[in-house]
Amino acid sequence: MKYSLALPLSLLGLAASAAAQVANVTLEVISSDSTIDGKFLTSIHESAGVNYVFLADSGDSYIYDYGVNTFFGTSFAGVSALLQVDDELLTVSVLDGYTKFDIVKGNTLAVNGSSSGFYACKNTGDPYSYSTSAYQAMFYSSDAPSDCIPFTIEYVLVGQSAKNSSSTTYSNSTTNATSTSVPTATYTGGAGMLKASAALTVGVVGAALALVL
């Protein structure tokens, strides 16, 4: 991982989705292992501009933009960070690039078309050793450690749980052939979203310059 002035350029593409609907959601862990089933993803600071993702009883709130299938999460000095798969790590960071999370089977997250690959692991060697006592969210496309627990991720409205709202059907306030059904807790369209996207891009430029310098 490295800091790069290319970050604002990568976010310019996100600004193009200015009319996309967004929703305040949390990310819930679904697993056949009761130890982690029903936990939520939360992020903890581990490096400059980078949070590592762990499992906890409550989770971070995200803004999901299904125009680009991207999750905006924790902010760093007012700059929104993105949920990303970075090698084997699941992070929330301001580093270059972003991960596209497709939505399959309702509200289930997928990377490269698959909802598998997410694992809860301990003793990963994270910088501050949080994983000695908490499960860290990792991503392995193959050869996951045998002591890690596989899970999938579903997104739900803040304060809800997939366990308790499985009969609830979420729908878009605007529907088109390519849109994905998402919770509609928050909607910003047209100029409002464009203004927010522009402000985000300007903020990221300043943050990236500060990080490089």
Side-chain angles (χ1 to χ4, degrees), residues 2-6 48 204-213:
K2 63 180 180 179
Y3 300 109
S4 170
L5 288 176
V204 170
V205 170
L209 284 171
L211 289 171
V212 172
L213 297 176

Side-chain angles (χ1 to χ4, degrees), residues 63-202:
I63 301 297
Y64 179 58
D65 184 337
Y66 69 84
V68 286
N69 293 23
T70 302
F71 286 88
F72 290 91
T74 302
S75 66
F76 294 89
V79 177
S80 293
L82 297 171
L83 180 67
Q84 301 190 43
V85 172
D86 188 348
D87 295 326
E88 296 174 348
L89 299 174
L90 200 60
T91 67
V92 178
S93 79
V94 297
L95 299 185
D96 186 22
Y98 63 93
T99 299
K100 177 181 177 181
F101 290 92
D102 297 315
I103 304 301
V104 298
K105 298 178 182 178
N107 296 343
T108 302
L109 276 63
V111 176
N112 297 325
S114 175
S115 60
S116 62
F118 298 104
Y119 290 84
C121 307
K122 283 191 173 181
N123 301 309
T124 62
D126 62 299
Y128 294 148
S129 300
Y130 294 122
S131 64
T132 58
S133 58
Y135 283 103
Q136 183 177 348
M138 306 290 288
F139 184 85
Y140 297 98
S141 57
S142 62
D143 301 323
S146 59
D147 57 347
C148 292
I149 306 172
F151 65 87
T152 57
I153 304 170
E154 289 191 15
Y155 67 94
V156 295
L157 290 176
V158 171
Q160 293 191 7
S161 167
K163 303 295 182 183
N164 301 324
S165 59
S166 58
S167 61
T168 301
T169 300
Y170 301 118
S171 60
N172 300 323
S173 60
T174 56
T175 304
N176 56 58
T178 60
S179 66
T180 300
S181 180
V182 298
T184 56
T186 304
Y187 174 74
T188 304
M193 186 66 179
L194 182 59
K195 181 179 179 181
S197 298
L200 171 64
T201 302
V202 171

Side-chain angles (χ1 to χ4, degrees), residues 15-41:
S17 64
Q21 187 175 354
V22 295
N24 290 314
V25 296
T26 51
L27 301 178
E28 186 172 359
V29 170
I30 306 299
S31 174
S32 59
D33 190 315
S34 61
T35 304
I36 64 171
D37 186 46
K39 298 290 187 181
F40 292 87
L41 299 187

